[in-house]
Amino acid sequence: MTTTGMNMGRATFYEDRNFQGRSYECSSDCPDMSSYMSRCQSCRVQSGCFMVYERPNYMGNQYFMKRGEYSDYQSMMGMTDGIRSCRMIPMHRGNYRMRIYERENFGGQMHEMMDDCDSIQERYRMSDCQSCNVMDGHWLMYEQPHFRGRQMYMRPGEYRSFREMGMSGMKFMSIRRITDMC
């Protein structure tokens, strides 16, 4: 597994819609943007990929952003409060490997994935995914099939309970690798 340095991404966040107001340029993780601006309503991602969060400390709804312009979060992503924190997603070159489990604490059915899955239920006959172990790569899990709905960023590590992570009542139905296509 190879992950390049954390300085591969760059984004500029703006207080107001349409890239207006004060701005904050970011090239690493930022747990709380309130020390730089009172709110964040638009963004330009110049390079790399970012995960943005509705609340400080990487909490609340999260959204994946790749290179591009995001002039109005509220209309584009349904974010009511704008962005409060962000993570820069490191580029990964190498294998992707993840184990998904039907129940919490790695219980029930287990399936090992190495590529994207647009429907967990259709491919694995699994109606729910409540824990996972990411061995290699960075992944996005989606609430609905075909990579739609709310998202959750998964980096290498063990995730024993999505419910305890604040994702109670949310089912993950599709999973996609975050590739260097950012």
Side-chain angles (χ1 to χ4, degrees):
M1 174 183 86
T2 305
T3 303
T4 61
M6 295 298 266
N7 59 353
M8 297 304 293
R10 194 176 95 220
T12 306
F13 297 92
Y14 297 86
E15 275 190 330
D16 298 319
R17 293 179 177 100
N18 299 313
F19 319 111
Q20 300 296 307
R22 288 192 317 188
S23 65
Y24 166 64
E25 190 168 300
C26 182
S27 59
S28 63
D29 294 355
C30 180
D32 189 357
M33 290 189 176
S34 66
S35 55
Y36 303 103
M37 55 182 51
S38 60
R39 65 187 175 277
C40 179
Q41 299 292 323
S42 58
C43 173
R44 282 189 175 109
V45 178
Q46 290 90 353
S47 60
C49 299
F50 287 80
M51 208 67 198
V52 296
Y53 301 81
E54 279 188 317
R55 297 196 330 241
N57 298 312
Y58 320 112
M59 302 296 287
N61 288 326
Q62 41 188 291
Y63 300 91
F64 176 73
M65 300 176 78
K66 60 184 180 180
R67 185 181 173 134
E69 294 190 346
Y70 303 85
S71 61
D72 182 355
Y73 294 136
Q74 194 166 11
S75 67
M76 292 172 67
M77 301 177 200
M79 290 181 109
T80 55
D81 295 331
I83 293 172
R84 301 288 185 208
S85 57
C86 73
R87 278 194 199 281
M88 206 252 343
I89 300 173
M91 299 288 271
H92 174 80
R93 299 191 196 285
N95 295 326
Y96 286 78
R97 204 168 65 138
M98 169 190 228
R99 289 187 182 143
I100 59 172
Y101 298 85
E102 185 178 28
R103 293 193 202 96
E104 292 182 341
N105 295 311
F106 313 122
Q109 288 185 61
M110 182 277 292
H111 297 281
E112 189 164 311
M113 301 178 55
M114 297 178 79
D115 59 1
D116 299 348
C117 176
D118 66 351
S119 176
I120 293 170
Q121 189 166 20
E122 285 180 22
R123 183 184 291 180
Y124 300 118
R125 302 291 180 243
M126 211 166 116
S127 62
D128 203 358
C129 174
Q130 295 183 11
S131 58
C132 73
N133 181 4
V134 177
M135 284 86 75
D136 293 306
H138 297 259
W139 300 74
L140 281 178
M141 297 182 80
Y142 293 83
E143 179 180 38
Q144 299 171 19
H146 309 290
F147 317 115
R148 294 190 333 245
R150 291 185 293 174
Q151 308 165 0
M152 186 163 69
Y153 168 51
M154 310 302 281
R155 54 190 180 176
E158 292 184 346
Y159 300 88
R160 295 185 167 278
S161 172
F162 297 150
R163 181 181 48 82
E164 289 178 7
M165 293 171 61
M167 299 295 175
S168 185
M170 191 167 159
K171 286 186 174 188
F172 293 104
M173 303 305 291
S174 55
I175 303 172
R176 174 178 276 165
R177 297 165 297 153
I178 300 174
T179 65
D180 60 1
M181 300 309 259
C182 296

